[in-house]
Amino acid sequence: MGVLLARGRARRSGNGWWVGRVPGPASRYMDLNWRRVFRMGGVMKRIGTIYLRLASAALALGFSLPSLAAVERWKLNMTPGVTEVSRQVYDIHMTILWICIVIGVLVFGAMAVAIFRFRKSRGAVAATWSHNDKAEVVLTIVPVLILVAMAWPATQVLIHMADTRNAEMTIEVTGYQWKWGYRYVDSDVSFISSLARNSDDTRQLGSGLSPDQVKSYLLDVDRPLVIPADTKVRFVITSGDVIHSWWVPALGWKQDAIPGIINDQWTLVKEPGIYRGQCAELCGKDHGFMPIVVEVKPKTEFAQWLAAQQNPDAAAAAAAIATTAEPVAAAAAPGQG
Amino acid sequence: MAHDASAHRDEHGHDHKPHGFVNRWLYATNHKDIGTMYLVMALVMFFVGGLMAMVIRGELMYPGLQLVEPEFFNQMTTMHALVMIFGAVMPAFVGLANWMVPMMIGAPDMALPRMNNWSFWIMPFAFTVLLLPLALKVFFGIGAGGPAGGWTLYPPLSLQGGDSVAFTIFAVHMMGISSIMGAINIIATILNMRAPGMDLLKMPVFVWAWLITAFLLIAVMPVLAGAVTMLLTDKFFGTTFFSASGGGDPVMFQHIFWFFGHPEVYIMILPAFGVVSEIIPTFARKPLFGYKAMVYAIASIAFLSFIVWAHHMFTVGIPLGGELFFMYATMLIAVPTGIKVFNWVFTMWRGSMTFETPMLFALGFVIMFTIGGFSGLMLAIVPADFQYHDTYFVVAHFHYVLVTGAVFSIMAATYYWLPKWSGRMYNETLGKWHFWLSTVFVNLLFFPQHFLGLAGMPRRIPDYNVAFADWNLVSSIGGFGFGLSQLIFAYIVWDCVRNQSLAKAADRVWEGARGLEWTLPSPAPYHSFATPPVIEDRMLAHADVAH
């Protein structure tokens, strides 16, 4: 019962542009689309969590669900994301969108009126005037004012986004054809993250396998990037071969990975969760097959995870525990990937 | 046979149409013949590029790979863009300029007819070279196929291509030479060959738009040539202009490329502004509103196009000050563009409108180009662009301005002037069918791509998560419908040129049409104005602006 309810609500709430600007608190099991479920409030949150546990248990037992409910289809709009920056970006996006819609309604409305009223078949006789200086001046100045009104908040957000100072940790991201390398600069931990095996098998031409049956098809990796919650993380981004672009929509930005150049960006995610993205710059034949998964862990869990990475011998037990609870299979298991 | 017969029919008594295919077409110096060849080549390339688009939409119809390997998919997206930009849209506008500019300014022909011949005949060879690697692969299984690094040719990726890199660069060089010669010819014609009384500020807006476009071409095609030459030497001669390992910079290529590339997109849209500014007054039976403002707006857009290039590269890591400058400059373009749209609407206001096919396409242009303009404004906002960049939102944006913008205006222009070219009225019913089918399907094709991009689908990927499946299916259905609808267009043009039983067109084809081209007989005589016409202001579309 609870399962059906949660799925129904999720689907209905998912389609409007206007739904929820500020995502609610997230659970660590949460995939991007499930945040909408949790926004329904406490009861729904609990039901959703139960459902998710059931679903992951079913998966663990080897049942394949006919359709993986976490996929939100017919999506129309940008995600508000999970950081302060991503929400600011979303707000600016919505502001400009509404300004454009209002201008569009006025201009196209005037056109529609002209088309219906001033048609020859209705006996309209053409006027002969061909200019009106006052109208032209007004229609130059008003757009300038609207543009200033748009540029002001955009500038503020941009200045905020450009400030990579005071980061608490730094992660080096390196694009390769066609995988991502991550290095925790302060702790001598590094690994490669590539497309998950089941997605890779399914995506082959003529594989005969259905993408519907693969969880997070093309958006899942063998080893996700793990970062701590509530921490300002600075990314330094570069490439080992051609230009790539590192993009997780929920974080609100993408940044090109360019050989010979180091770009930096930052994020601060309050709540734990798993966030997915893809390479966004054409980088060769498998450009579509180098996803990004960021797993945000609570600070203490992150510290344990990092310690385990630094000391793989002691890590086996901890990793095994973590694995059973993670939606991303074998996320932290050393020696894989 | 048919044109042999018409060659003997001497409309003006001084019609020296050359006989035989080689004399008439290969040695062509007549602006109408060369214009026709440009337009035919553009139509052929439109279908070649369209077939590639069908492969792209076919593969993207469902998640999973069904039709082609990713490498071939990348060749399709790359070649689709190169063919459509350099083979369809640009030559179509050059063809329209060749046909119409001398007729609109009261000149006998283009100023430099032999150069005109050369600038056309380079093009078929350029496209043979461009398409050869892909054709060899597809039809004979030879080689690795065409370029696959995107039409923007960004290094280092583009340098990973095989020998097709050399073919592409050689083809781009030839197209550049062709475009520059065409532009020189248009400037020389407009500045030197106007009939007495055709003052600069009485010229049709189409002529103004082309004059400004020609200057843009001369300014930026050499920049592209320089960029691709450096690619060539990086690839084959060991230089490192764009390789950090040798002291070069991959981002420098992008700066140079987009210094060409942004004016290039206006090269494809300014003539469209000109076309629409001719058509709307004709069918509103009312003079163009704010002629001078329209001309100045085109000039301002052309100027601004040189200082906004980095808005294509907001995510490469430009310093904050640079991002702010390019954001403000880009947003500024909305002002002259807005003036144009407002003035088209004012032209319709209190007019006496009819809705023949050219007008339908022009109205479709105004609405859908404006939608593309809105998404362009959104893309100018740097923080939002960090999300939009390189997603299907961008794909939707530039197809709204290039397909429902530039291509729709070319169709509008074709329907508008076709009776003048052929001397016969095209099939109006089919024309309307063509418009409505195109409009419905093109919106099914491109509007959902906004949603896909916002939902997080990157561009240039052959496969995607199932979350993107539904809108991709809608988009593909729209794509196939739009592609098929264009067969109607090809039939209408062929029918109008060849079908002797169609109604003969009047000299002034449209009731509200003004301008010198309508003072010539239909079909237009082989040589336009052997002696300069005596111009009275009432003949002109824009003569009443002086006060």
Side-chain angles (χ1 to χ4, degrees):
Chain A
M1 247 347 260
V3 170
L4 292 173
L5 197 61
R7 292 183 61 187
R9 281 293 188 92
R11 201 170 297 140
R12 246 177 293 136
S13 68
N15 278 350
W17 315 65
W18 52 84
V19 175
R21 290 197 171 192
V22 183
S27 123
R28 58 186 291 251
Y29 302 107
M30 180 186 72
D31 208 328
L32 225 163
N33 306 296
W34 278 97
R35 275 180 295 102
R36 292 177 184 278
V37 180
F38 300 146
R39 248 174 260 147
M40 295 293 132
V43 178
M44 291 308 298
K45 177 180 172 177
R46 244 171 290 140
I47 293 170
T49 311
I50 291 165
Y51 172 62
L52 269 173
R53 288 210 175 121
L54 281 172
S56 46
L59 275 176
L61 287 168
F63 292 107
S64 67
L65 296 177
S67 101
L68 294 149
V71 173
E72 184 194 351
R73 306 183 72 143
W74 298 102
K75 197 164 180 267
L76 293 174
N77 202 5
M78 183 191 285
T79 172
V82 291
T83 65
E84 189 195 353
V85 161
S86 70
R87 278 186 283 274
Q88 288 171 339
V89 167
Y90 175 84
D91 286 344
I92 282 201
H93 156 70
M94 291 311 289
T95 309
I96 320 160
L97 179 65
W98 279 114
I99 291 173
C100 288
I101 288 172
V102 169
I103 298 171
V105 166
L106 292 175
V107 173
F108 301 151
M111 253 181 97
V113 170
I115 286 170
F116 285 103
R117 275 182 61 189
F118 307 119
R119 52 204 298 154
K120 198 184 177 200
S121 57
R122 290 190 50 181
V125 178
T128 52
W129 45 265
S130 63
H131 40 82
N132 180 333
D133 293 344
K134 212 177 282 175
E136 295 197 47
V137 169
V138 169
L139 288 173
T140 307
I141 292 172
V142 171
V144 171
L145 296 177
I146 295 173
L147 291 177
V148 171
M150 286 180 185
W152 184 257
T155 304
Q156 285 179 317
V157 174
L158 196 62
I159 291 171
H160 179 51
M161 291 177 89
D163 183 7
T164 55
R165 290 171 302 174
N166 305 322
E168 293 160 74
M169 66 179 290
T170 298
I171 294 171
E172 183 189 78
V173 177
T174 310
Y176 300 101
Q177 287 174 315
W178 293 275
K179 50 196 176 281
W180 293 98
Y182 299 112
R183 190 166 72 89
Y184 294 75
V185 174
D186 315 308
S187 27
D188 196 32
V189 169
S190 64
F191 56 89
I192 296 284
S193 173
S194 355
L195 180 65
R197 177 53 68 93
N198 55 351
S199 285
D200 198 38
D201 290 342
T202 306
R203 65 104 175 172
Q204 302 298 327
L205 184 61
S207 70
L209 300 169
S210 167
D212 288 315
Q213 303 301 322
V214 180
K215 180 169 166 25
S216 298
Y217 177 61
L218 299 183
L219 293 178
D220 201 7
V221 294
D222 53 358
R223 294 189 70 181
L225 173 68
V226 180
I227 62 169
D230 206 15
T231 307
K232 183 166 181 177
V233 180
R234 175 171 173 258
F235 296 96
V236 291
I237 301 172
T238 186
S239 166
D241 37 52
V242 302
I243 301 174
H244 305 268
S245 191
W246 199 83
W247 180 36
V248 176
L251 304 186
W253 48 263
K254 64 176 67 69
Q255 184 73 58
D256 287 3
I258 302 169
I261 288 175
I262 295 172
N263 283 319
D264 66 344
Q265 262 291 1
W266 63 276
T267 197
L268 196 165
V269 187
K270 291 266 186 227
E271 297 295 333
I274 290 177
Y275 308 105
R276 298 172 193 276
Q278 301 186 69
C279 177
E281 176 67 50
L282 177 63
C283 59
K285 70 180 173 69
D286 287 349
H287 162 55
F289 309 105
M290 48 182 292
I292 297 154
V293 179
V294 177
E295 188 181 355
V296 182
K297 286 181 186 284
K299 276 184 174 175
T300 48
E301 273 186 48
F302 174 78
Q304 287 166 9
W305 176 86
L306 195 64
Q309 304 304 306
Q310 286 169 311
N311 186 1
D313 293 336
I321 294 164
T323 306
T324 52
E326 297 308 327
V328 175
Q336 292 194 12
Chain B
M1 283 298 112
H3 69 241
D4 273 359
S6 64
H8 291 297
R9 192 167 4 97
D10 198 338
E11 306 266 0
H12 263 206
H14 50 250
D15 193 352
H16 306 116
K17 214 174 265 184
H19 299 281
F21 181 84
V22 170
N23 278 330
R24 171 92 189 263
W25 301 106
L26 191 63
Y27 299 157
T29 52
N30 180 285
H31 74 101
K32 298 192 182 71
D33 285 349
I34 293 172
T36 301
M37 289 195 288
Y38 265 112
L39 289 168
V40 169
M41 193 194 80
L43 188 61
V44 170
M45 297 312 275
F46 181 60
F47 282 105
V48 171
L51 277 178
M52 295 171 183
M54 294 303 103
V55 174
I56 294 169
R57 282 317 324 166
E59 181 54 66
L60 291 174
M61 201 164 173
Y62 298 108
L65 292 178
Q66 291 85 26
L67 300 177
V68 295
E69 292 287 355
E71 172 69 12
F72 189 76
F73 182 89
N74 289 346
Q75 293 180 17
M76 287 292 107
T77 53
T78 304
M79 293 300 293
H80 166 72
L82 288 169
V83 166
M84 286 302 199
I85 292 167
F86 294 105
V89 174
M90 288 173 71
F93 279 126
V94 179
L96 290 172
N98 254 295
W99 251 101
M100 299 317 301
V101 165
M103 288 164 67
M104 292 173 111
I105 63 173
D109 203 303
M110 295 293 279
L112 307 162
R114 286 185 182 78
M115 193 163 86
N116 206 7
N117 174 293
W118 199 22
S119 57
F120 171 75
W121 275 110
I122 285 176
M123 297 291 280
F125 294 97
F127 280 95
T128 307
V129 171
L130 180 71
L131 291 164
L132 195 62
L134 181 67
L136 284 175
K137 169 75 178 165
V138 171
F139 298 117
F140 304 104
I142 299 169
W151 84 278
T152 49
L153 302 170
Y154 281 6
L157 180 65
S158 63
L159 300 177
Q160 290 184 344
D163 295 336
S164 68
V165 175
F167 284 80
T168 309
I169 290 172
F170 187 41
V172 168
H173 274 142
M174 290 205 285
M175 293 171 213
I177 292 170
S178 162
S179 295
I180 291 168
M181 288 196 298
I184 290 171
N185 207 349
I186 286 167
I187 292 173
T189 306
I190 295 172
L191 294 185
N192 293 310
M193 304 204 33
R194 279 170 291 124
M198 177 57 78
D199 303 341
L200 279 176
L201 277 175
K202 288 183 183 177
M203 291 199 307
V205 181
F206 178 70
V207 178
W208 257 115
W210 245 115
L211 181 64
I212 292 165
T213 303
F215 277 103
L216 288 183
L217 275 168
I218 290 177
V220 301
M221 291 313 282
V223 178
L224 176 66
V228 296
T229 304
M230 285 187 269
L231 273 188
L232 189 78
T233 61
D234 270 14
K235 168 81 182 167
F236 295 102
F237 302 102
T239 57
T240 53
F241 290 110
F242 305 128
S243 164
S245 61
D249 180 357
V251 176
M252 186 174 75
F253 177 86
Q254 300 185 21
H255 282 291
I256 301 171
F257 181 87
W258 287 114
F259 187 84
F260 145 80
H262 201 76
E264 167 68 19
V265 303
Y266 291 122
I267 287 165
M268 293 188 282
I269 204 66
L270 297 186
F273 291 166
V275 165
V276 171
S277 301
E278 300 306 321
I279 291 175
I280 290 179
T282 294
F283 295 96
R285 293 168 180 74
K286 184 164 159 285
L288 182 70
F289 183 86
Y291 168 88
K292 275 187 189 169
M294 293 299 247
V295 172
Y296 296 149
I298 293 176
S300 328
I301 293 171
F303 169 75
L304 288 171
S305 76
F306 285 106
I307 57 164
V308 295
W309 75 88
H311 69 215
H312 297 268
M313 320 160 41
F314 281 145
T315 62
V316 301
I318 296 168
L320 178 63
E323 307 222 277
L324 289 174
F325 169 79
F326 285 107
M327 172 168 76
Y328 300 151
T330 305
M331 293 174 78
L332 213 49
I333 297 180
V335 176
T337 312
I339 289 173
K340 302 204 74 71
V341 174
F342 297 141
N343 286 7
W344 289 323
V345 177
F346 272 120
T347 306
M348 296 173 214
W349 198 260
R350 301 281 314 274
S352 172
M353 280 196 274
T354 52
F355 302 92
E356 290 86 344
T357 310
M359 182 63 160
L360 290 176
F361 272 98
L363 294 174
F365 170 96
V366 174
I367 293 173
M368 289 180 274
F369 172 80
T370 304
I371 292 174
F374 285 142
S375 55
L377 181 59
M378 295 171 76
L379 284 158
I381 308 292
V382 183
D385 182 73
F386 286 155
Q387 289 280 34
Y388 306 141
H389 181 80
D390 263 331
T391 68
Y392 260 83
F393 190 80
V394 179
V395 179
H397 159 71
F398 66 71
H399 281 98
Y400 263 89
V401 290
L402 281 179
V403 179
T404 57
V407 173
F408 264 44
S409 83
I410 292 166
M411 307 236 167
T414 307
Y415 286 112
Y416 186 54
W417 285 312
L418 190 56
K420 175 57 66 185
W421 301 338
S422 73
R424 286 184 281 271
M425 284 306 290
Y426 61 87
N427 186 326
E428 183 67 40
T429 311
L430 276 182
K432 290 202 163 97
W433 271 101
H434 174 225
F435 169 76
W436 284 111
L437 287 172
S438 295
T439 301
V440 169
F441 282 122
V442 86
N443 283 295
L444 268 185
L445 167 58
F446 294 124
F447 209 84
Q449 296 184 358
H450 291 114
F451 307 143
L452 286 170
L454 293 175
M457 180 170 164
R459 61 189 286 210
R460 293 166 161 171
I461 58 173
D463 193 6
Y464 46 80
N465 183 273
V466 289
F468 306 127
D470 309 282
W471 286 124
N472 266 302
L473 181 59
V474 173
S475 181
S476 287
I477 291 169
F480 301 139
F482 181 71
L484 286 174
S485 307
Q486 303 323 305
L487 297 175
I488 304 173
F489 177 66
Y491 173 77
I492 294 169
V493 173
W494 181 83
D495 180 56
C496 183
V497 173
R498 284 308 179 95
N499 187 348
Q500 307 279 353
S501 65
L502 290 173
K504 192 172 177 337
D507 293 351
R508 183 178 302 278
V509 175
W510 312 106
E511 185 189 43
R514 290 202 290 171
L516 292 182
E517 75 266 37
W518 308 109
T519 63
L520 290 166
S522 299
Y526 197 60
H527 298 291
S528 296
F529 289 97
T531 52
V534 178
I535 294 178
E536 297 163 49
D537 279 358
R538 61 176 176 78
M539 298 161 128
L540 303 180
H542 314 289
D544 56 343
V545 297
H547 51 270

